[in-house]
Amino acid sequence: MRFFSFGELIPLLLIAAAAAAGFTVYQELPDRVPTHWGVSGGTDGWSDRVSFVWWFPGFILFIYLVLTFIPLIDPRRDNIMAAAREYFILRTAFVIFLCVLYIAILSVALGFAVNIKTIIMLGAAALFFIIGSLLPAFKRNYTVGIRLPWTLESDEVWDTVHRIGKTVFRALAALVAILAFLPDRIAFTGLMVALGGGIGELVFSAYRTYRDHSRHKARQAAQ
């Protein structure tokens, strides 16, 4: 399967379209563009419009290029290339999320009534769902997936944990989608708890699976 294809034009065109939108409304933007929101939902960080309009699309392009080319130096790159379609979907999903965020921030700066928290959390929920759905397709590698000492040690542990990860990420997606419509402080607290719980579950599952697998191999060797 080819790792690069004409499909790569899709995320590049999305980045170009987002950048074009920023340049189009540049003169209408205030000198300072809101770029960060606190727990209470209020703006507590700004960037000057020149930096934001130029920097953010460049940042999206940088992320996309890193995700695109870093597998080429992965010692297990063949395992990523075997899932080239899934990896392309994953990279494109990240680009879409960041482009939507860019347009949302531009809309806020232009004075539109946009609930940035809801957009970010719904986007994150969609991203979690896509990640979870794609995880089982990736075999052991050092670039993409649940890369823990125990999963990187064994194909069996890697595959088992990534099947668990599919459920965990989809559960996170559903929870974050619900939190998106709750008050800001509750949503933020719930998000932190959900992320902590999800990460904890994956780490514990990886360790437990590795331990059980090691014990099983030891019993087989002793027989």
Side-chain angles (χ1 to χ4, degrees), residues 101-114:
L101 178 58
Y102 179 64
I103 298 300
I105 293 175
L106 287 177
S107 300
V108 171
L110 291 170
F112 290 98
V114 175

Side-chain angles (χ1 to χ4, degrees), residues 90-165:
L90 184 61
R91 287 180 284 132
T92 303
F94 273 103
V95 167
I96 293 173
F97 173 74
L98 292 173
C99 285
V100 169
L101 178 58
Y102 179 64
I103 298 300
I105 293 175
L106 287 177
S107 300
V108 171
L110 291 170
F112 290 98
V114 175
N115 189 322
I116 195 75
K117 179 264 295 182
T118 300
I119 291 176
I120 291 174
M121 295 192 73
L122 286 178
L127 203 55
F128 286 151
F129 185 85
I130 292 171
I131 292 171
S133 299
L134 297 176
L135 274 180
F138 296 104
K139 299 304 179 183
R140 188 156 52 116
N141 69 88
Y142 298 96
T143 301
V144 57
I146 304 168
R147 291 156 294 146
L148 295 168
W150 309 287
T151 57
L152 291 172
E153 184 70 18
S154 162
D155 287 329
E156 293 81 0
V157 176
W158 175 281
D159 292 341
T160 299
V161 173
H162 280 68
R163 288 193 295 270
I164 296 172

Side-chain angles (χ1 to χ4, degrees), residues 3-4 64-74 87 91:
F3 190 64
F4 300 106
Y64 177 72
L65 292 177
V66 168
L67 291 175
T68 298
F69 290 105
I70 198 170
L72 299 180
I73 60 173
D74 191 314
Y87 191 54
R91 287 180 284 132

Side-chain angles (χ1 to χ4, degrees), residues 183-197:
D184 293 335
R185 288 188 179 275
I186 296 175
F188 178 80
T189 302
L191 177 62
M192 293 300 101
V193 171
L195 289 176

Side-chain angles (χ1 to χ4, degrees), residues 173-184:
L175 182 56
V176 173
I178 295 171
L179 290 172
F181 299 99
L182 298 180
D184 293 335

Side-chain angles (χ1 to χ4, degrees), residues 1-5 8 72 77-89 91 137-138:
M1 179 180 291
R2 294 177 58 189
F3 190 64
F4 300 106
S5 67
E8 301 293 336
L72 299 180
R77 58 184 172 272
D78 289 346
N79 283 346
I80 304 175
M81 293 182 180
R85 175 178 171 274
E86 288 79 5
Y87 191 54
F88 170 74
I89 293 172
R91 287 180 284 132
F138 296 104

Side-chain angles (χ1 to χ4, degrees), residues 28-73:
E28 302 174 41
L29 293 172
D31 291 335
R32 294 201 308 165
V33 176
T35 53
H36 191 273
W37 288 262
V39 177
S40 62
T43 305
D44 60 5
W46 292 264
S47 295
D48 67 90
R49 65 176 180 177
V50 176
S51 298
F52 178 75
V53 169
W54 283 95
W55 171 82
F56 205 102
F59 170 72
I60 301 174
L61 179 61
F62 173 75
I63 292 295
Y64 177 72
L65 292 177
V66 168
L67 291 175
T68 298
F69 290 105
I70 198 170
L72 299 180
I73 60 173

